[in-house]
Amino acid sequence: MLNIVLFGPPGSGKGTQASKIIEKYNLIHISTGDLLRSEVEAQTELGIQAQAIMDRGALVSDEIVIGMIRKKLEEHQDGPGFIFDGFPRTVEQARELRKALTDIDERVTVLISLTVPKDELVKRLVKRGAETGRSDDNPETIHKRIDVYNTQTLPVAYYYEKMHKHQPVEGVGSVNDIFKRIVEVIEHFS
Ligand code: B4P
């Protein structure tokens, strides 16, 4: 299996590049942001709790997120592999992912980390907020999300670095150019 973690701050292009990677490699897409947003839309108990957390730019609890991931892994054990988009976001989530993959005799192939300067991130997310009305894409929440990324999520990159599986990729430029850089990394690690 090819198991890719797509990593980076909010607005770095994870969701955008994930759809191109899936098209080329036929992987199962696991976006914890999308999974949470569909719970919000369905107004489930989990969704109601998650909405308040997401709207203030904080992270939903590890327990909830890990539960969602394990369910998805079980459903697609026989596929060509997974792309994890926006997960893991804490070192605890990274450890749990390792355990869950080990349970199905699998491991992460590579963590691809999209690097984008903060002013560009803010610009992209403000634009998306104006276009889509996404409730966490407002200036105040965007700054909070970037702070949360720097304090709680960035350590995940070091966790994979220690295993020689962390690969930074410049995330500024055209979507197609960035995708080419990502494909080079995937071909190298697979
Ligand atoms: P996510 O849904 O993961 O949101 P995101 O970090 O903003 O990334 P997204 O993938 O949507 O955006 P992208 O960079 O592709 O998370 C939302 C919230 O859910 C979190 O704040 C948290 O509360 C919760 N959550 C999710 N996962 C969690 C977890 N594991 N644990 C706990 N809580 C969790 O794109 C952004 C914009 O940039 C788009 O408009 C796009 O068109 C544009 N763009 C992309 N590439 C570009 C390029 N090359 N040039 C110019 N613009 C570009």
PDB file of all heavy atoms in Angstrom, residues 18-31:
ATOM      1  N   ALA A  18      -4.612  16.987  -2.481  1.00  0.00           N
ATOM      2  CA  ALA A  18      -5.114  15.628  -2.210  1.00  0.00           C
ATOM      3  C   ALA A  18      -5.960  15.141  -3.381  1.00  0.00           C
ATOM      4  O   ALA A  18      -5.822  13.999  -3.825  1.00  0.00           O
ATOM      5  CB  ALA A  18      -5.929  15.607  -0.918  1.00  0.00           C
ATOM      6  N   SER A  19      -6.814  16.006  -3.928  1.00  0.00           N
ATOM      7  CA  SER A  19      -7.677  15.520  -5.011  1.00  0.00           C
ATOM      8  C   SER A  19      -6.865  15.147  -6.244  1.00  0.00           C
ATOM      9  O   SER A  19      -7.198  14.178  -6.944  1.00  0.00           O
ATOM     10  CB  SER A  19      -8.820  16.484  -5.332  1.00  0.00           C
ATOM     11  OG  SER A  19      -8.365  17.784  -5.296  1.00  0.00           O
ATOM     12  N   LYS A  20      -5.763  15.829  -6.496  1.00  0.00           N
ATOM     13  CA  LYS A  20      -4.927  15.478  -7.660  1.00  0.00           C
ATOM     14  C   LYS A  20      -4.160  14.167  -7.408  1.00  0.00           C
ATOM     15  O   LYS A  20      -3.999  13.345  -8.312  1.00  0.00           O
ATOM     16  CB  LYS A  20      -3.945  16.622  -7.971  1.00  0.00           C
ATOM     17  CG  LYS A  20      -4.670  17.894  -8.420  1.00  0.00           C
ATOM     18  CD  LYS A  20      -3.715  18.978  -8.821  1.00  0.00           C
ATOM     19  CE  LYS A  20      -3.014  18.749 -10.154  1.00  0.00           C
ATOM     20  NZ  LYS A  20      -3.905  18.829 -11.313  1.00  0.00           N
ATOM     21  N   ILE A  21      -3.718  13.970  -6.176  1.00  0.00           N
ATOM     22  CA  ILE A  21      -2.975  12.742  -5.845  1.00  0.00           C
ATOM     23  C   ILE A  21      -3.909  11.529  -5.976  1.00  0.00           C
ATOM     24  O   ILE A  21      -3.531  10.484  -6.509  1.00  0.00           O
ATOM     25  CB  ILE A  21      -2.382  12.836  -4.417  1.00  0.00           C
ATOM     26  CG1 ILE A  21      -1.367  13.983  -4.347  1.00  0.00           C
ATOM     27  CG2 ILE A  21      -1.732  11.523  -4.002  1.00  0.00           C
ATOM     28  CD1 ILE A  21      -0.913  14.342  -2.936  1.00  0.00           C
ATOM     29  N   ILE A  22      -5.145  11.709  -5.509  1.00  0.00           N
ATOM     30  CA  ILE A  22      -6.119  10.613  -5.567  1.00  0.00           C
ATOM     31  C   ILE A  22      -6.401  10.222  -7.020  1.00  0.00           C
ATOM     32  O   ILE A  22      -6.470   9.053  -7.364  1.00  0.00           O
ATOM     33  CB  ILE A  22      -7.431  11.049  -4.878  1.00  0.00           C
ATOM     34  CG1 ILE A  22      -7.198  11.190  -3.391  1.00  0.00           C
ATOM     35  CG2 ILE A  22      -8.577  10.074  -5.143  1.00  0.00           C
ATOM     36  CD1 ILE A  22      -8.151  12.130  -2.724  1.00  0.00           C
ATOM     37  N   GLU A  23      -6.524  11.248  -7.857  1.00  0.00           N
ATOM     38  CA  GLU A  23      -6.799  11.002  -9.275  1.00  0.00           C
ATOM     39  C   GLU A  23      -5.673  10.154  -9.894  1.00  0.00           C
ATOM     40  O   GLU A  23      -5.907   9.224 -10.642  1.00  0.00           O
ATOM     41  CB  GLU A  23      -6.856  12.362  -9.972  1.00  0.00           C
ATOM     42  CG  GLU A  23      -7.728  12.419 -11.209  1.00  0.00           C
ATOM     43  CD  GLU A  23      -7.710  13.843 -11.747  1.00  0.00           C
ATOM     44  OE1 GLU A  23      -8.150  14.776 -11.020  1.00  0.00           O
ATOM     45  OE2 GLU A  23      -7.206  14.015 -12.865  1.00  0.00           O
ATOM     46  N   LYS A  24      -4.429  10.464  -9.536  1.00  0.00           N
ATOM     47  CA  LYS A  24      -3.299   9.746 -10.140  1.00  0.00           C
ATOM     48  C   LYS A  24      -3.066   8.373  -9.515  1.00  0.00           C
ATOM     49  O   LYS A  24      -2.777   7.421 -10.213  1.00  0.00           O
ATOM     50  CB  LYS A  24      -2.025  10.611 -10.018  1.00  0.00           C
ATOM     51  CG  LYS A  24      -0.805   9.986 -10.693  1.00  0.00           C
ATOM     52  CD  LYS A  24       0.341  10.981 -10.770  1.00  0.00           C
ATOM     53  CE  LYS A  24       1.641  10.344 -11.227  1.00  0.00           C
ATOM     54  NZ  LYS A  24       1.686   9.990 -12.638  1.00  0.00           N
ATOM     55  N   TYR A  25      -3.184   8.286  -8.194  1.00  0.00           N
ATOM     56  CA  TYR A  25      -2.783   7.040  -7.518  1.00  0.00           C
ATOM     57  C   TYR A  25      -3.963   6.223  -6.989  1.00  0.00           C
ATOM     58  O   TYR A  25      -3.752   5.165  -6.390  1.00  0.00           O
ATOM     59  CB  TYR A  25      -1.816   7.355  -6.364  1.00  0.00           C
ATOM     60  CG  TYR A  25      -0.508   7.924  -6.836  1.00  0.00           C
ATOM     61  CD1 TYR A  25      -0.271   9.294  -6.813  1.00  0.00           C
ATOM     62  CD2 TYR A  25       0.498   7.094  -7.333  1.00  0.00           C
ATOM     63  CE1 TYR A  25       0.930   9.829  -7.247  1.00  0.00           C
ATOM     64  CE2 TYR A  25       1.710   7.626  -7.768  1.00  0.00           C
ATOM     65  CZ  TYR A  25       1.916   8.993  -7.723  1.00  0.00           C
ATOM     66  OH  TYR A  25       3.111   9.512  -8.158  1.00  0.00           O
ATOM     67  N   ASN A  26      -5.191   6.746  -7.178  1.00  0.00           N
ATOM     68  CA  ASN A  26      -6.377   5.984  -6.816  1.00  0.00           C
ATOM     69  C   ASN A  26      -6.443   5.640  -5.319  1.00  0.00           C
ATOM     70  O   ASN A  26      -6.884   4.544  -4.959  1.00  0.00           O
ATOM     71  CB  ASN A  26      -6.352   4.704  -7.679  1.00  0.00           C
ATOM     72  CG  ASN A  26      -7.710   4.107  -7.832  1.00  0.00           C
ATOM     73  OD1 ASN A  26      -8.710   4.808  -7.655  1.00  0.00           O
ATOM     74  ND2 ASN A  26      -7.761   2.813  -8.111  1.00  0.00           N
ATOM     75  N   LEU A  27      -5.969   6.554  -4.484  1.00  0.00           N
ATOM     76  CA  LEU A  27      -5.928   6.269  -3.043  1.00  0.00           C
ATOM     77  C   LEU A  27      -7.265   6.623  -2.376  1.00  0.00           C
ATOM     78  O   LEU A  27      -8.045   7.401  -2.911  1.00  0.00           O
ATOM     79  CB  LEU A  27      -4.807   7.087  -2.380  1.00  0.00           C
ATOM     80  CG  LEU A  27      -3.416   6.882  -2.945  1.00  0.00           C
ATOM     81  CD1 LEU A  27      -2.421   7.821  -2.276  1.00  0.00           C
ATOM     82  CD2 LEU A  27      -2.962   5.432  -2.769  1.00  0.00           C
ATOM     83  N   ILE A  28      -7.488   6.062  -1.198  1.00  0.00           N
ATOM     84  CA  ILE A  28      -8.670   6.418  -0.410  1.00  0.00           C
ATOM     85  C   ILE A  28      -8.362   7.715   0.343  1.00  0.00           C
ATOM     86  O   ILE A  28      -7.357   7.803   1.052  1.00  0.00           O
ATOM     87  CB  ILE A  28      -9.001   5.291   0.615  1.00  0.00           C
ATOM     88  CG1 ILE A  28      -9.219   3.949  -0.088  1.00  0.00           C
ATOM     89  CG2 ILE A  28     -10.186   5.688   1.494  1.00  0.00           C
ATOM     90  CD1 ILE A  28     -10.443   3.867  -0.950  1.00  0.00           C
ATOM     91  N   HIS A  29      -9.249   8.692   0.178  1.00  0.00           N
ATOM     92  CA  HIS A  29      -9.030  10.009   0.792  1.00  0.00           C
ATOM     93  C   HIS A  29      -9.611  10.043   2.201  1.00  0.00           C
ATOM     94  O   HIS A  29     -10.799   9.790   2.379  1.00  0.00           O
ATOM     95  CB  HIS A  29      -9.737  11.060  -0.078  1.00  0.00           C
ATOM     96  CG  HIS A  29      -9.496  12.471   0.335  1.00  0.00           C
ATOM     97  ND1 HIS A  29     -10.375  13.485   0.057  1.00  0.00           N
ATOM     98  CD2 HIS A  29      -8.472  13.057   0.998  1.00  0.00           C
ATOM     99  CE1 HIS A  29      -9.897  14.633   0.519  1.00  0.00           C
ATOM    100  NE2 HIS A  29      -8.747  14.394   1.096  1.00  0.00           N
ATOM    101  N   ILE A  30      -8.767  10.342   3.177  1.00  0.00           N
ATOM    102  CA  ILE A  30      -9.281  10.530   4.535  1.00  0.00           C
ATOM    103  C   ILE A  30      -8.942  11.938   4.975  1.00  0.00           C
ATOM    104  O   ILE A  30      -7.799  12.241   5.329  1.00  0.00           O
ATOM    105  CB  ILE A  30      -8.695   9.495   5.532  1.00  0.00           C
ATOM    106  CG1 ILE A  30      -8.980   8.075   5.027  1.00  0.00           C
ATOM    107  CG2 ILE A  30      -9.287   9.712   6.915  1.00  0.00           C
ATOM    108  CD1 ILE A  30      -8.641   6.976   6.018  1.00  0.00           C
ATOM    109  N   SER A  31      -9.945  12.835   4.901  1.00  0.00           N
ATOM    110  CA  SER A  31      -9.759  14.216   5.364  1.00  0.00           C
ATOM    111  C   SER A  31     -10.568  14.373   6.643  1.00  0.00           C
ATOM    112  O   SER A  31     -11.802  14.306   6.610  1.00  0.00           O
ATOM    113  CB  SER A  31     -10.259  15.196   4.297  1.00  0.00           C
ATOM    114  OG  SER A  31     -10.567  16.445   4.891  1.00  0.00           O
TER     115      SER A  31
END
